[in-house]
Amino acid sequence: QVHLVESGGGLVQAGGSLRLSCAASGRTFSTSNMAWFRQAPGKEREFVAAISWSGSSTYYADSVKGRFTISRDNAKNSGYLQMNSLKSEDTAVYYCAARPAPTITRAEGAYNYWGQGTQVTVSS
């Protein structure tokens, strides 16, 4: 079992930065592919970024490429999403997700474990 808890969300001005954290419990996290998804009000949940269990491979949605950085620290059982140059369209609830597989995927249904989400609001 892997339990995920997001933190670090909040209100930020456009152009600003936030760093989201995903604290995990369970020994399987270090061997799990993990990702971030987000869901804006009235919209479908969408893929943001993913990282392999080793951290050697990453994948980003085009909408955040060059602005967001996904990382992890397996020694701390934590995952992170550094968000820079934030835009109003980044406003959403951000979810951390994980799955016990070595490959990266953007498919929401492939992830077994989910956090409760953390709100990110970007104002103009």
Side-chain angles (χ1 to χ4, degrees), residues 68-88:
F68 291 10
T69 302
I70 187 171
S71 63
R72 66 191 300 163
D73 187 341
N74 290 338
K76 296 180 179 180
N77 278 348
S78 297
Y80 307 96
L81 184 68
Q82 178 66 46
M83 306 185 295
N84 298 327
S85 301
L86 284 163
K87 306 174 181 178
S88 59

Side-chain angles (χ1 to χ4, degrees), residues 47-52 57-62 64-65 70 104-106:
F47 170 80
V48 176
I51 187 168
S52 63
S57 299
T58 57
Y59 181 68
Y60 297 91
D62 289 341
V64 306
K65 194 175 301 180
I70 187 171
I104 295 175
T105 181
R106 66 189 299 276

Side-chain angles (χ1 to χ4, degrees), residues 9 12 22 30-32 34 38 43 46-47 56 58 60 65 70 76 79 83 85 94-95 106 110 115 117:
V12 65
C22 177
S30 63
T31 58
S32 296
M34 67 89 63
R38 67 186 183 186
K43 297 183 179 179
E46 66 176 355
F47 170 80
S56 61
T58 57
Y60 297 91
K65 194 175 301 180
I70 187 171
K76 296 180 179 180
M83 306 185 295
S85 301
Y94 284 71
Y95 298 90
R106 66 189 299 276

Side-chain angles (χ1 to χ4, degrees), residues 13 15 35 37 39-40 44 47 55 60 78 82 89 93 106 110 115:
Q13 290 269 74
F37 291 79
Q39 186 169 25
E44 298 179 352
F47 170 80
Y60 297 91
S78 297
Q82 178 66 46
E89 51 263 44
V93 176
R106 66 189 299 276

